[in-house]
Amino acid sequence: MYGPARHAIVVSNLDGIKEKLVELDDCPEDLYIIEGDIDAFDDSSFDADELDGAVCVQLNERQLRYSRFPKILCLVAQRVSSV
């Protein structure tokens, strides 16, 4: 549903965000910030299946999204599952 913004940071107010972003030293190539109610952000209405190293989300009857986990998350997940 969110496409590249699925890793967005949800903030309660965008005021002053631009000034803070220019101060970042370590930042991904693209960073999505969404203004919204942090406590009301609910993605439980999606039909999602965790696959081997990925997730498949059925957005509606005719759309689904397949996203691989970033490599760092896969390594952490493998270490946790092997413990």
Side-chain angles (χ1 to χ4, degrees), residues 11-75:
V11 297
S12 57
N13 192 321
L14 288 175
D15 291 342
I17 294 293
K18 289 180 185 177
E19 294 79 14
K20 292 177 182 176
L21 290 173
V22 297
E23 297 173 5
L24 292 177
D25 293 328
D26 187 17
C27 183
E29 190 171 316
D30 293 306
L31 182 61
Y32 292 84
I33 301 171
I34 299 172
E35 182 177 321
D37 184 349
I38 297 167
D39 296 324
F41 195 76
D42 181 18
D43 61 358
S44 64
S45 62
F46 302 128
D47 180 20
D49 294 310
E50 189 170 325
L51 307 173
D52 185 30
V55 65
C56 189
V57 180
Q58 185 81 36
L59 302 170
N60 59 44
E61 190 175 301
R62 298 176 59 187
Q63 294 181 352
L64 65 90
R65 186 191 84 227
Y66 175 82
S67 300
R68 292 189 176 151
F69 296 138
K71 289 188 185 272
I72 187 74
L73 291 180
C74 290
L75 292 173

